[in-house]
Amino acid sequence: MERGGRRREAAEYYRAHRVPQRMEEALNALFPLRPADLYGELANYFSKFSKAPVICKLVGRKVLDGVGQPTIEVEIHCRVINYEKRICSTVMSSHSQILENALPETTEADEKERNDSVNTAVEWVNESLNVMLRDLKPTDQYRVDKMLGEYFTKQVEEKKEIQKKEEEAEATLALTSCTPSATALPGKKKATKPGKKVSVAERTIPPAEPVESVLCGSLAIGGTSLAIAKAGATVSRVPLYLHIALLKHDQDSPKEMTLPLPMVTLLNCEKISPAKLKLVKEVMLIPPVQLPLKQGIERVLDIQKEMMRLLEPPGKAQPDPQLADSKKGKAHNAGKKAPPRALKRISHLGCLIMGCDNLEQPLLLMQTACNNIGLELGTDMYLAINCAAHELMDYVKGKYEILTGMFKSPDEMVDMYVELINKFPFIIALIDPLRKEDRQQWNNVCRALGSKCYLIAEDAATYISKLKIGQNINIPTCSGVVLKYINQTKVSDLIELTGLLDGQRHITILGSPDGESSDDSLVDLAVGLGARFIKLGGLSRGERVTKYNRLLAIEEELAENRTLR
């Protein structure tokens, strides 16, 4: 009786879940096909009726980025068909606000802060976020991002509360320790010593906006959001770029997709002596839009090879001075060509480093390289310049130092750019030609050059959290912005922001941060979001080349699917 009762109970259980009916459907459907792997096909058939994968574990760990700086890797584990399975991981790129010529103590402080931030981020992922996101679907990106945003806001408020208490404690301590003799009499100011000059800017300029503080641990938010997006794409069995496009367009699959044009950095102009030019940070190549990406990259490589040849010093190398008196040394060095200085040094951006004496020098060199291999700038290839003007402002003089000892006011900078574009019309984009605070001059340069080239804000768009105000974009008048996936940025933030930029006819450029990792998700983000350009650095260094390889793979995949516009 007991055995019979169990059988009836089992039969009712399976009938309630429609197992016999679906088993019959599966067998009838598969018999005409007679698949070689029958049980594999049965497993595939029944997997359609299994529960959707859910997050069961997050793992955060400290790793190194492409320049050896610490960053965070976030790993997603899901429960899939009753088994825990590692789905994917993502490594966050790090971004530093420290300038190239910063003092050693500033750099050391930044490194300590970065290290502390990564340690905190790892702790957040392994503890709080691991518990908070458990049993959620990885495909539910907006819900996950909402929870991540609320968690981050809570951490910010806690940090503010701690700072407030510390300030109150310091103020109390100062009041109890101060003596009457140390207190300044009201109404009196400290006298200035006779003969001492006070530095005053030659012309009043808008002061620099305060640098937005980065909350210790914020990398955990961006890393987790992106890892969830990758996990969602994996369990949905679609490429990440298509998953992002579906999220942006409310699950409406795009009939065609456009690849972003790459801005390939060829030269990184150093700003230390003996180089005089300070204005140009990067000189970039942009292939024509009608050219397949693969051919465009090949052209860039051809130009790079010719640049290397042009930068080689003429004649044979001089012998080593230490071996000048040694016959053996002379014999050893005879006929041996020394590697040119430019080729010895590759920037962290993955391109050649070169010192220049004036603004025209790198442009004329690029023009010569193209002419030598039968290419014409303005037809077969275009240029973009990252001016990074925010790094050049002398706040005492109220002017930009564009060359060593040569300064220009914001208005003079506008005139200089107009002259530059008129002389070199193959320059189709200027990035950060001015500080974001010089809004009137942004208006002026856009009026003068807006029809001839893109005027793009990168430094102004470093922090996505500051960009959106209501339904408006908080940027100077410009053609578009460079967005970087850093810190607490979430995938849903990028989706919302690019939607606003599209609506206001601004172009979107997705850009690599300074401390790039080998994770190639940025490329999928750019394709899925419909970015006009992607700024990845040069065609050297593995962490940058892997992204170009991913872009080429997506081009090939879209061409095969006939969805490449």
Side-chain angles (χ1 to χ4, degrees), residues 516-520 523 536 540-552:
E516 190 51 275
S517 75
S518 57
D519 193 299
D520 59 13
V523 177
L536 298 172
S540 297
R541 297 189 65 97
E543 71 274 11
R544 297 188 181 274
V545 173
T546 190
K547 292 173 180 58
Y548 286 106
N549 288 337
R550 176 60 184 152
L551 197 56
L552 291 168

Side-chain angles (χ1 to χ4, degrees), residues 386-452:
N386 181 5
C387 306
H390 56 282
E391 298 179 4
L392 310 178
M393 176 56 74
D394 184 318
Y395 284 92
V396 174
K397 295 180 183 294
K399 292 185 176 184
Y400 295 93
E401 187 177 15
I402 62 163
L403 293 172
T404 303
M406 181 185 286
F407 298 85
K408 286 189 181 291
S409 69
D411 289 326
E412 290 170 336
M413 293 288 280
V414 174
D415 296 336
M416 181 191 70
Y417 288 128
V418 170
E419 186 180 332
L420 178 72
I421 298 302
N422 287 336
K423 187 169 184 178
F424 300 101
F426 47 76
I427 300 171
I428 63 165
L430 294 175
I431 298 176
D432 282 343
L434 297 152
R435 298 180 311 143
K436 58 189 170 189
E437 294 85 358
D438 293 324
R439 297 204 170 216
Q440 182 56 52
Q441 285 73 28
W442 273 97
N443 291 338
N444 297 344
V445 77
C446 283
R447 275 200 299 270
L449 296 174
S451 61
K452 296 181 180 181

Side-chain angles (χ1 to χ4, degrees), residues 256-260 526-527 530-531 558 563-565:
E256 290 182 319
M257 299 191 77
T258 307
L259 285 178
V527 175
L558 293 177
T563 52
L564 179 64
R565 186 183 302 166

Side-chain angles (χ1 to χ4, degrees), residues 178-445:
C178 91
T179 57
S181 60
T183 308
L185 292 172
K188 289 193 175 183
K189 291 183 181 178
K190 191 175 179 181
T192 306
K193 291 180 181 178
K196 187 177 179 181
K197 292 184 179 179
V198 180
S199 296
V200 179
E202 293 178 9
R203 182 177 174 181
T204 304
I205 58 168
E209 293 179 12
V211 176
E212 183 176 357
S213 60
V214 178
L215 183 67
C216 188
S218 60
L219 279 168
I221 304 300
T224 301
S225 179
L226 184 55
I228 292 293
K230 288 181 77 171
T234 302
V235 301
S236 301
R237 297 178 183 176
V238 296
L240 178 57
Y241 64 83
L242 182 56
H243 182 64
I244 297 295
L246 291 170
L247 286 170
K248 183 173 181 178
H249 301 289
D250 297 324
Q251 302 305 314
D252 185 15
S253 185
K255 293 182 176 66
E256 290 182 319
M257 299 191 77
T258 307
L259 285 178
L261 279 174
M263 291 180 162
V264 187
T265 306
L266 198 60
L267 286 178
N268 180 204
C269 297
E270 63 182 347
K271 298 180 182 181
I272 55 175
S273 183
K276 294 179 181 177
L277 179 64
K278 295 181 180 293
L279 177 64
V280 178
K281 183 175 183 178
E282 297 172 80
V283 181
M284 294 164 283
L285 293 172
I286 302 175
V289 67
Q290 69 274 15
L291 200 66
L293 182 66
K294 188 176 181 181
Q295 290 181 31
I297 296 296
E298 287 171 355
R299 273 189 193 177
V300 171
L301 285 169
D302 289 340
I303 295 168
Q304 182 171 284
K305 287 176 186 174
E306 181 59 20
M307 286 285 288
M308 289 179 176
R309 192 188 69 78
L310 290 173
L311 289 169
E312 287 185 13
K316 296 177 181 178
Q318 296 298 317
D320 188 329
Q322 293 180 350
L323 301 175
D325 297 325
S326 164
K327 291 181 180 179
K328 185 179 178 182
K330 288 180 181 177
H332 178 73
N333 282 280
K336 186 177 179 181
K337 187 181 284 186
R341 186 179 173 214
L343 302 187
K344 287 180 183 176
R345 300 167 62 216
I346 294 290
S347 164
H348 68 283
L349 298 172
C351 61
L352 301 173
I353 299 176
M354 175 183 169
C356 300
D357 293 328
N358 57 63
L359 182 53
E360 294 184 356
Q361 187 180 350
L363 304 178
L364 293 172
L365 183 65
M366 200 80 77
Q367 200 169 22
T368 302
C370 288
N371 291 340
N372 288 356
I373 58 174
L375 297 176
E376 184 181 349
L377 282 174
T379 305
D380 304 311
M381 191 64 67
Y382 299 90
L383 289 192
I385 295 176
N386 181 5
C387 306
H390 56 282
E391 298 179 4
L392 310 178
M393 176 56 74
D394 184 318
Y395 284 92
V396 174
K397 295 180 183 294
K399 292 185 176 184
Y400 295 93
E401 187 177 15
I402 62 163
L403 293 172
T404 303
M406 181 185 286
F407 298 85
K408 286 189 181 291
S409 69
D411 289 326
E412 290 170 336
M413 293 288 280
V414 174
D415 296 336
M416 181 191 70
Y417 288 128
V418 170
E419 186 180 332
L420 178 72
I421 298 302
N422 287 336
K423 187 169 184 178
F424 300 101
F426 47 76
I427 300 171
I428 63 165
L430 294 175
I431 298 176
D432 282 343
L434 297 152
R435 298 180 311 143
K436 58 189 170 189
E437 294 85 358
D438 293 324
R439 297 204 170 216
Q440 182 56 52
Q441 285 73 28
W442 273 97
N443 291 338
N444 297 344
V445 77

Side-chain angles (χ1 to χ4, degrees), residues 69-70 96-115:
Q69 294 286 359
S96 176
Q97 295 175 296
I98 303 300
L99 302 180
E100 293 174 13
N101 57 350
L103 296 171
E105 52 267 30
T106 307
T107 306
E108 285 174 17
D110 179 63
E111 287 175 358
K112 183 184 183 304
E113 190 176 313
R114 184 199 303 259
N115 210 44

Side-chain angles (χ1 to χ4, degrees), residues 506-525:
H506 283 97
I507 63 167
T508 299
I509 302 104
L510 252 68
S512 273
D514 293 336
E516 190 51 275
S517 75
S518 57
D519 193 299
D520 59 13
S521 306
L522 181 71
V523 177
D524 286 76
L525 285 174

